[in-house]
Amino acid sequence: MSNIVTSPEHSMEGALEDAGSMGSIVKVFRSNIRQYGMLIALIVIMLFFQFMTSGTLLKPVNLTNLVLQNSYIVIMAIGMLLVIVAGHIDLSVGSIVAFIGALAAVMIVKYDINMFVALVACLIMGGLIGAAQGYWVAFLKIPSFIVTLAGMLVFRGLTLALLEGQSVGPFPPTFQKISSGFIPDVFSVEAIHITSLVLGALVSAALVYLSFRTRRNKQKYNFETLPVSLFILQNVALTAAIMYFCYLMSSYKGLPNVLIVLFILIVIYTFITTQTTIGRRIYAVGGNEKAARLSGIKTSRLSFLTFVNLGVLSALAGLVYAARLNVATPKAGTALELDVIAACFIGGASMSGGVGTVIGAVIGAFVMGVMNNGMSILGIGIEWQQVIKGLVLLMAVFFDIYNKNKG
Amino acid sequence: MSDIILEMRNITKTFPGVKALDNVNLSVRQGEIHALVGENGAGKSTLMKVLSGVYSYGDYTGEIFYQGQECRFKDISDSERLGIVIIHQELALIPLLSIAENIFLGNERQQFGVINWFEAITRTRELLKKVGLNESPETLITNIGVGKQQLVEIAKALSKEVQLLILDEPTSSLNESDSNALLQLLLEFKEHGISSILISHKLNEVSKVADSITILRDGATIETLDCQKDTITEDRIIRGMVGRDLTHRYPHRTANIEETIFEIKNWNVYHPLHDDRKVVDNVSMHVKKGEVVGIAGLMGSGRTELAMSVFGRSYGKRISGQVFKHGQEIDVSSIDKAIDNGIAYATEDRKTYGLILIDDIKNNVTLANLNAITKNAVINEPQELMVAGEYRDKLNIKCSSILQKTVNLSGGNQQKVVLSKWLFAEPEILLLDEPTRGIDVGAKYEIYTIINQLAAEGKGVILISSELPEILGVCDRIYVMNEGKIMGEMPKAEASQEKIMQVIMQQEEIVES
């Protein structure tokens, strides 16, 4: 009797399971659409321009160029993300880039100060600038928009004063290497840069190991994980993307120095934001400052630190920028702050604070970068480039908010 | 009098996956005060949103008859035109505009878009007189208290020629005397033939003013009680709301009180903006191990200010006095020091001060004691998940997962997350400020049970509450505060609502004379 009753149920369950695995893929996709949405958008944009430029976009030379062009924006976007997550904004980073570039040029070119001393001095100066602005914001409670708007004017002015209205350059070759250098190849093989490939392989292996470990941990605590097939697919796709990228780069001059710096920064800041107390607390401050304060968190100090951090990273970006142009000009970095802020918002950060990821900001920066690059190759005028970039920013944030409301 | 002004028939409203209202019926007579009660999530607010046109016709099924006509409202302005006005729990006033500007917002006294201020202000004066509010029409909303703001909302409703006034938890943030004034006003309106629907958690108010009571539970009408025919007790209403007899509203506890663990001596606090206003005046009090101590008093009597200033000087200026734990003076000059010294403060306003609403349960629970799950500044995530899971089970937090965002939890469950956060910080003394505000009867019982457990574990609990029955039901000893001073202290055995009110009123008389 009971057999008769249970057997149809059994087959029903089987049918449900089949529908389930199909349904689970859809479900996985839905629940991750916000996380992967921008990555997918970036890939689509890259494929689009790859097709439109008949393959120029992903040519090794152009790809290298793309990385170099956007490196300083990515560096600042990482710092800006923390400031935005803490619930603030910084409009002065473009001016800081110019000011630090000018400072470096005056020290190195005019006064012939030792390059490494000058570099360290510039980074410290960046920290001091961040501290000065952060002090007004965090402890004197002046809105960051106002403080950094003032900073934007002040440091642009100081740049002009420092350079006496003129361009100063060129930098010595060692300094230029910050931006235009490539990692040395320890294996001497013609036509291909083996070290870059080896590095790529190591990074891939590390990432696969990490994702495997996370999955095991999740399973241990009974959390939802991707089905095995999707998990493997995800890792294969990731590895393939990294190796293809490294292959392209190594068939030109190999990995640029800046890319290594970027990679290290991304790893460090991803770790800080997701795994450490200080990272968690910055998100809490941005999410609800009052509740965070009443939970014993020193909210003002954290806000202050995010500005100091951005100051140092802006200084680093300023050095990269100056090295790339090989000259310090009073107009350097104009409107750069807007690209940086746009990168964070395209990458999913929230205006009101408490939301955003480092990887998102980096992807956001490359979305803007690929569009700049692709449209330039296509010969689209600067006027229409601006219009298109503006609309993309608007659509990206709309997409994000629309998804949030639906979820 | 017994004409039916409103009849809602078989109202059904579904949200994706949930049936919020299931064949609900409601009929309101002309000129009566009709109370709508039920636990949180029973569907009261949804029903009122259907009635006022927030959910337009077609979003729900069923019929609405108002003054004998079938109504199909498209939006709020449709229902307002017929004199149905809803006042929401969160007041919809613009703080930096004047009373007059707020009253006529969206309904300006104007011609060709130019506002006639003389008319607006004259009319506002009349309306304010009707609701008994003695303020200038040009006063900014931000400069008057919540009680008066509520009256402005009612004046605004009157300006729309209201026939049926709907009030959603109007007294939840009012003190005793403001609440009474508001209820009195409803009774006056009744004399003038205006009907009201009153949504409230405060059953004593409901039984005081209501002519009939409709009880909702799980989206369905349970019953309508006629208060003119029978005397309806609070217990009778509760039985309908929870579907069973709640024989004890407060769980039983055998107190095991030991030595004094916490003491505040000669504590003084001044207002953060008005330098010369003393909000806490020479307060001394103590808590024993395993004891639940209540602080009774009206809103604004300095209870929250006392608790917050002790908790790391999170409120006030020019703070002086001493705090002792186990007889040793401790440093509470900043919040992290207070937490390190074993003090926790669970706020009265959990949404603004208690939770990171955009964050999940897990992150909220561990926030105040991240160091406990951290090694070398790195958070041990598996351990964190385990901790959050433990508290979910221990406090019975109803959620889909500990990764659910706290903004999506009900009030009672949000409060449990706040309590979890402070329990995880392992305090010895807990300052609980209105821990049951705005949560339903069932969840209240659970919170009381948690308080009892804390006391049984040997912690000292200070409970601040505006609800006297709660103070009497839960506390072992009661301090009465008024005007920033401790006016009296009594053990549970000697305390009663009358006695507490008497102590408060005495002071009022002294002040007046």
Side-chain angles (χ1 to χ4, degrees), chain A residues 275-277 280 288 291 295 298, chain B residues 336 352 355 377 379 384 421:
Chain A
Q275 305 289 318
T276 66
T277 354
R280 173 70 62 78
N288 184 346
S295 300
K298 296 199 163 81
Chain B
D336 52 328
T352 316
L355 294 171
I379 296 170
E384 184 178 33
K421 171 167 85 174

Side-chain angles (χ1 to χ4, degrees), chain A residues 211-273:
Chain A
S211 77
F212 181 73
R213 210 184 61 170
T214 311
R215 182 182 170 80
R216 212 180 39 199
N217 259 334
K218 274 190 177 171
Q219 279 168 339
K220 202 161 114 196
Y221 292 94
N222 281 329
F223 273 88
E224 244 182 88
T225 48
L226 290 173
V228 183
S229 52
L230 275 181
F231 176 72
I232 293 172
L233 187 74
Q234 190 190 28
N235 281 294
V236 168
L238 186 70
T239 309
I242 293 174
M243 289 316 293
Y244 181 59
F245 174 77
C246 286
Y247 166 73
L248 287 176
M249 298 298 270
S250 56
S251 62
Y252 181 54
K253 289 185 180 171
L255 299 175
N257 290 336
V258 178
L259 187 66
I260 305 296
V261 173
L262 276 188
F263 180 76
I264 293 170
L265 286 177
I266 292 169
V267 169
I268 291 176
Y269 281 94
T270 302
F271 180 75
I272 289 176
T273 49

Side-chain angles (χ1 to χ4, degrees), chain A residues 320-402:
Chain A
V320 173
Y321 190 92
R324 184 170 160 71
L325 293 189
N326 199 15
V327 67
T329 72
K331 285 264 168 219
T334 310
L336 213 54
E337 58 278 348
L338 300 180
D339 281 347
V340 173
I341 292 167
C344 291
F345 290 138
I346 289 177
S350 155
M351 221 26 225
S352 44
V355 180
T357 60
V358 169
I359 283 295
V362 173
I363 290 174
F366 277 108
V367 166
M368 296 292 269
V370 169
M371 289 202 318
N372 278 335
N373 184 278
M375 289 192 290
S376 298
I377 298 173
L378 288 178
I380 296 174
I382 194 84
E383 67 279 24
W384 292 109
Q385 287 196 19
Q386 302 244 9
V387 171
I388 293 170
K389 278 196 299 182
L391 293 177
V392 165
L393 169 65
L394 186 63
M395 289 319 291
V397 175
F398 165 73
F399 177 76
D400 196 39
I401 287 175
Y402 177 77

Side-chain angles (χ1 to χ4, degrees), chain A residues 70-79 261-262 265 313 316-317 320:
Chain A
N70 290 292
S71 53
Y72 43 86
I73 293 183
V74 175
I75 293 172
M76 285 187 282
I78 293 170
V261 173
L262 276 188
L265 286 177
L313 288 178
L316 178 60
V320 173

Side-chain angles (χ1 to χ4, degrees), chain A residues 217 221 223 271 274-278 280-281 283-284 287-288 290-298 353-355, chain B residues 311 314 335-336 339 351-356 358 362-363 366-368 370 374 377-379 382 384-385 403 421-422:
Chain A
N217 259 334
Y221 292 94
F223 273 88
F271 180 75
T274 58
Q275 305 289 318
T276 66
T277 354
I278 191 165
R280 173 70 62 78
R281 286 178 177 162
Y283 280 81
N288 184 346
K290 291 168 181 162
R293 198 169 69 87
L294 279 180
S295 300
I297 291 171
K298 296 199 163 81
V355 180
Chain B
F311 185 62
S314 45
I335 294 170
D336 52 328
I339 295 174
K351 285 187 178 161
T352 316
Y353 293 101
L355 294 171
I356 317 284
I358 58 169
K362 169 184 74 96
N363 288 1
T366 56
L367 189 63
L370 271 178
T374 305
V378 178
I379 296 170
E384 184 178 33
L385 290 169
L403 300 181
K421 171 167 85 174
W422 289 116

Side-chain angles (χ1 to χ4, degrees), chain B residues 83-369:
Chain B
I84 302 177
V85 181
I86 183 162
I87 298 179
H88 292 282
Q89 189 174 0
E90 271 106 34
L91 299 180
L93 298 172
I94 318 285
L96 292 178
L97 292 184
S98 71
I99 294 178
E101 284 169 315
N102 267 289
I103 283 181
F104 291 109
L105 195 66
N107 183 23
E108 288 82 1
R109 308 287 95 182
Q110 47 100 8
Q111 228 173 1
F112 310 116
V114 179
I115 296 177
N116 182 344
W117 284 113
F118 290 111
E119 192 194 330
I121 284 172
T122 320
R123 188 86 182 92
T124 302
R125 252 185 225 127
E126 291 165 21
L127 291 167
L128 291 184
K129 208 168 166 193
K130 263 191 203 159
V131 299
L133 179 57
N134 187 20
E135 285 285 346
S136 154
E138 276 154 304
T139 309
L140 299 187
I141 292 296
T142 175
N143 294 336
I144 59 177
V146 194
K148 289 180 175 176
Q149 291 181 8
Q150 191 68 258
L151 294 178
V152 172
E153 276 278 13
I154 293 174
K156 188 174 169 182
L158 288 181
S159 79
K160 293 171 184 163
E161 309 292 330
V162 62
Q163 295 293 314
L164 175 63
L165 183 63
I166 305 164
L167 298 122
D168 193 352
E169 295 275 357
T171 60
S172 70
S173 50
L174 300 191
N175 64 32
E176 196 99 12
S177 61
D178 281 347
S179 297
N180 283 334
L182 185 89
L183 296 175
Q184 199 55 43
L185 200 59
L186 290 189
L187 292 172
E188 266 172 46
F189 286 175
K190 185 173 134 183
E191 300 296 312
H192 293 98
I194 297 176
S195 326
S196 318
I197 298 178
L198 173 68
I199 299 181
S200 181
H201 275 306
K202 296 190 181 169
L203 299 182
N204 57 339
E205 292 176 2
V206 167
S207 45
K208 207 183 322 178
V209 298
D211 299 304
S212 39
I213 302 170
T214 293
I215 300 173
L216 292 185
R217 186 169 76 226
D218 300 329
T221 318
I222 299 303
E223 55 190 337
T224 296
L225 306 167
D226 190 333
C227 306
Q228 283 155 337
K229 279 189 206 140
D230 320 291
T231 20
I232 306 290
T233 60
E234 285 180 40
D235 287 342
R236 174 72 190 80
I237 305 173
I238 290 173
R239 198 197 314 154
M241 281 167 62
V242 299
R244 63 192 146 89
D245 277 309
L246 206 58
T247 38
H248 303 289
R249 280 164 79 179
Y250 305 99
H252 179 73
R253 173 170 67 97
T254 335
N256 182 16
I257 298 169
E258 295 170 43
E259 77 282 1
T260 302
I261 57 167
F262 186 67
E263 208 171 354
I264 302 167
K265 274 187 187 159
N266 307 321
W267 197 255
N268 290 293
V269 180
Y270 287 84
H271 194 278
L273 299 178
H274 310 289
D275 262 355
D276 48 345
R277 222 173 94 196
K278 214 171 188 179
V279 282
V280 176
D281 191 355
N282 209 25
V283 166
S284 297
M285 63 192 309
H286 69 275
V287 186
K288 292 187 173 125
K289 201 173 171 188
E291 187 182 37
V292 181
V293 172
I295 305 182
L298 303 176
M299 211 172 276
S301 60
R303 304 167 308 174
T304 298
E305 291 79 358
L306 168 67
M308 287 185 77
S309 59
V310 168
F311 185 62
R313 306 199 171 167
S314 45
Y315 173 90
K317 258 191 191 163
R318 290 165 64 197
I319 298 167
S320 65
Q322 291 167 293
V323 177
F324 297 87
K325 195 177 78 175
H326 297 302
Q328 300 272 322
E329 185 168 0
I330 55 170
D331 181 3
V332 291
S333 60
S334 72
I335 294 170
D336 52 328
K337 281 178 189 157
I339 295 174
D340 285 346
N341 277 314
I343 303 175
Y345 168 73
T347 166
E348 61 177 332
D349 185 347
R350 57 183 167 263
K351 285 187 178 161
T352 316
Y353 293 101
L355 294 171
I356 317 284
L357 288 171
I358 58 169
D359 224 334
D360 57 29
I361 296 174
K362 169 184 74 96
N363 288 1
N364 273 287
V365 168
T366 56
L367 189 63
N369 195 14

